Amino acid sequence: MTVKIDEKSCIGCKLCIAACPFPGAIEMVNKIAVITDKCTSCGACEESCPKNAIKVDREVDSKAHHVENYKGVWVFIEQRDGKVANVSYEILSEGRKLADELGTHVGAVIIGENINTLAKQAFAYGADIAYVVEHEVFKHYRTDSYTDVMVDMINTYKPEIVLFGATNNGRDFAARIAVRLNTGLTADCTALTIDKTERLLEQTRPAFGGNIMATILCPTRRPQMATVRPNVMKMAEPDYSRKGTVIEVQSNINPDDIRTKVIKIIEDTSKTVNLVDADIIVSGGRGLGGPEGFTLIEELALTLGGAMGASRATVDAGWIPHSHQVGQTGKTVAPKLYIACGISGAIQHLAGMQTSDTIIAINKDPEASIFNVATYGIVGDLYEVVPVLIDEFKKALKGKEVSNEVACGKFA
Ligand code: FAD
Ligand code: SF4
Ligand code: SF4
């Protein structure tokens, strides 16, 4: 897509500058609008011109007709200080299956500092090739530096599919790359399959408040890109006998061109919640009746060495921070044990926890929808049931070591 201004028609009214979301993309030169290299070809200015002086050429560019030049399934390996996010291995395991269906290879993209050993891990989870970009400039995730190097790599190696974890960084990163490459991106996928006839990635995600599942295709652009929520795909057993090829990618990024600097990292206390990785989660809902009810939830979570979750109703009411929220607009979790206390089981909450191994629901309404997904249901007042559970678990666990490190965090 290209954007041009017809100089003869332009009257210098500057309405296009007001309409353009990208500062500096249009400048006035001799009272005529001029498109600069900051233009992203978004087309937002076109309608603003009273003289129809802006011409946006939407002809699909030639790359779109050469989708066959793109091969391979790539997975971005998200890491912090060398520790890889579980979701990266989940999607690497899934990427392996997709690549096998397509008869192609899996590439793991590892960007950071001191990350060489991660290639071996990536091979164990299914990668054939590890593209490793190692430099101190990549120590911390920063949108500019990571996007520049990833876009260069995609343009060089031309993968047909690129997958990211739907984490904070993954969402930021994938969106930026998709815009730069003028390709599509499906966020928060819960399933990925292959249409073998058309060689297309079928990207499925909940839509319209979770009431339908939409399957999205990207037929004419490459790569096909998606982010995948943590815990929705199964991580394969690592096979450390697997070998692969390491491609060390050099980056010529100038640190001065990166617009953000990491000055200091302040640990968020609520990180101790660690909901996504917890084996046991005890969650509270509106049935608690008020913020003080979370003290009881916290006690049960601490007793079991679990983490504390919450429904959106309680987060919206300001009873507990959003970092505890489980569900469609919160975290997706799949613990071994999920105890839902005073939660009705709205579809948006279920979207975030229904793949848990065992679900115990405590609700005084026997008709509550949560019982439809519960392994065990307790019909009763949580203020009567939960204290009994705490006492019984304490007795049963007496003398046994329970890790409370991940437990609850401060929620007040
Ligand atoms: P309620 O639905 O009010 O249920 C309270 C339950 O507590 C009832 O079943 C009641 O019987 C029971 N109860 C009351 N008192 C007691 C007691 N003393 N003992 C035992 N049981 C008791 N919700 C999420 O949770 N996560 C999300 O990510 C999320 N995202 C959303 C996204 C969108 C676009 C929309 C539209 C909604 C979203 N929601 C989400 C909100 C969701 O639709 C529900 O409104 C919410 O989950 C309800 O929370 P709740 O179950 O705590 O409250
Ligand atoms: Fe600005 Fe978009 Fe118009 Fe380019 S196409 S000048 S970025 S509004
Ligand atoms: Fe020129 Fe049209 Fe921009 Fe006005 S809106 S300055 S006429 S291009």
Side-chain angles (χ1 to χ4, degrees):
M1 197 157 97
T2 51
V3 184
K4 288 194 181 126
I5 307 257
D6 175 6
E7 293 180 12
K8 291 199 184 106
S9 309
C10 175
I11 53 167
C13 68
K14 299 188 187 169
L15 288 173
C16 51
I17 295 184
C20 173
F22 298 94
I26 313 177
E27 284 175 356
M28 299 307 291
V29 177
N30 297 329
K31 298 192 178 162
I32 301 286
V34 173
I35 303 287
T36 74
D37 59 5
K38 294 200 172 119
C39 170
T40 63
S41 306
C42 71
C45 54
E46 189 180 24
E47 300 271 297
S48 67
C49 179
K51 294 290 170 187
N52 288 330
I54 302 174
K55 309 283 174 220
V56 178
D57 181 359
R58 289 196 168 76
E59 195 182 312
V60 179
D61 86 2
S62 57
K63 266 191 262 168
H65 302 297
H66 295 292
V67 292
E68 67 279 4
N69 291 345
Y70 289 72
K71 291 274 153 22
V73 177
W74 276 17
V75 174
F76 170 60
I77 305 296
E78 183 173 335
Q79 58 81 32
R80 183 175 296 166
D81 296 330
K83 186 173 182 314
V84 174
N86 281 346
V87 63
S88 298
Y89 291 143
E90 290 162 12
I91 45 180
L92 197 49
S93 309
E94 190 70 15
R96 177 72 267 162
K97 292 186 214 155
L98 301 174
D100 288 345
E101 284 219 45
L102 290 165
T104 189
H105 64 272
V106 177
V109 180
I110 309 168
I111 307 174
E113 189 189 33
N114 299 327
I115 35 93
N116 259 328
T117 54
L118 300 184
K120 211 173 150 202
Q121 288 283 117
F123 297 145
Y125 282 98
D128 302 300
I129 304 174
Y131 299 88
V132 179
V133 193
E134 169 127 39
H135 194 282
E136 61 188 18
V137 82
F138 300 115
K139 180 173 169 55
H140 300 295
Y141 171 77
R142 283 183 287 171
T143 314
D144 282 350
S145 52
Y146 272 55
T147 304
D148 284 354
V149 72
M150 187 71 155
V151 167
D152 280 352
M153 286 163 72
I154 291 173
N155 283 332
T156 306
Y157 295 102
K158 299 194 174 3
E160 58 197 299
I161 294 171
V162 185
L163 307 173
F164 304 78
T167 59
N168 290 343
N169 287 354
R171 286 173 168 149
D172 174 72
F173 190 30
R176 201 57 82 94
I177 294 164
V179 169
R180 286 267 194 97
L181 295 171
N182 206 5
T183 188
L185 169 67
T186 307
D188 278 2
C189 290
T190 51
L192 297 171
T193 45
I194 296 288
D195 172 348
K196 267 176 125 172
T197 323
E198 300 292 331
R199 209 183 164 82
L200 285 175
L201 178 67
E202 296 167 326
Q203 307 157 60
T204 302
R205 56 151 298 152
F208 296 108
N211 288 319
I212 62 158
M213 298 303 279
T215 297
I216 294 158
L217 303 175
C218 178
T220 61
R221 305 295 309 179
R222 290 295 178 271
Q224 302 160 89
M225 291 186 31
T227 64
V228 176
R229 282 190 150 213
N231 286 320
V232 294
M233 288 173 180
K234 274 255 172 282
M235 197 190 294
E237 278 301 314
D239 172 1
Y240 289 101
S241 66
R242 286 193 86 253
K243 301 257 179 299
T245 308
V246 175
I247 298 183
E248 287 180 13
V249 180
Q250 301 304 323
S251 148
N252 49 12
I253 279 182
N254 177 357
D256 295 336
D257 292 341
I258 306 172
R259 289 172 295 180
T260 50
K261 281 193 172 48
V262 178
I263 311 278
K264 193 175 173 189
I265 294 183
I266 301 162
E267 282 296 322
D268 176 357
T269 49
S270 56
K271 284 233 179 76
T272 52
V273 170
N274 198 7
L275 267 184
V276 174
D277 294 329
D279 278 343
I280 299 176
I281 295 175
V282 184
S283 283
R286 192 156 27 207
L288 292 173
E292 58 287 342
F294 275 104
T295 315
L296 194 63
I297 300 298
E298 182 179 36
E299 196 182 343
L300 182 54
L302 282 168
T303 305
L304 295 169
M308 185 164 61
S311 71
R312 176 161 156 180
T314 63
V315 173
D316 287 351
W319 298 353
I320 190 161
H322 179 261
S323 53
H324 292 263
Q325 185 181 316
V326 172
Q328 189 186 308
T329 41
K331 299 211 164 69
T332 307
V333 297
K336 290 187 178 134
L337 175 63
Y338 188 90
I339 306 182
C341 309
I343 293 177
S344 59
I347 188 161
Q348 296 88 357
H349 187 82
L350 302 187
M353 46 63 75
Q354 62 189 348
T355 56
S356 306
D357 289 351
T358 300
I359 298 170
I360 299 179
I362 303 163
N363 198 304
K364 66 180 184 187
D365 174 7
E367 302 298 324
S369 317
I370 191 77
F371 289 127
N372 296 334
V373 297
T375 325
Y376 303 102
I378 303 174
V379 179
D381 186 333
L382 69 93
Y383 284 101
E384 288 169 18
V385 176
V386 175
V388 174
L389 288 181
I390 292 170
D391 283 349
E392 292 301 320
F393 281 127
K394 275 186 180 163
K395 274 187 228 156
L397 293 168
K398 202 169 179 189
K400 297 200 176 114
E401 200 179 314
V402 171
S403 162
N404 283 330
E405 266 175 41
V406 295
C408 296
K410 290 271 169 281
F411 61 89

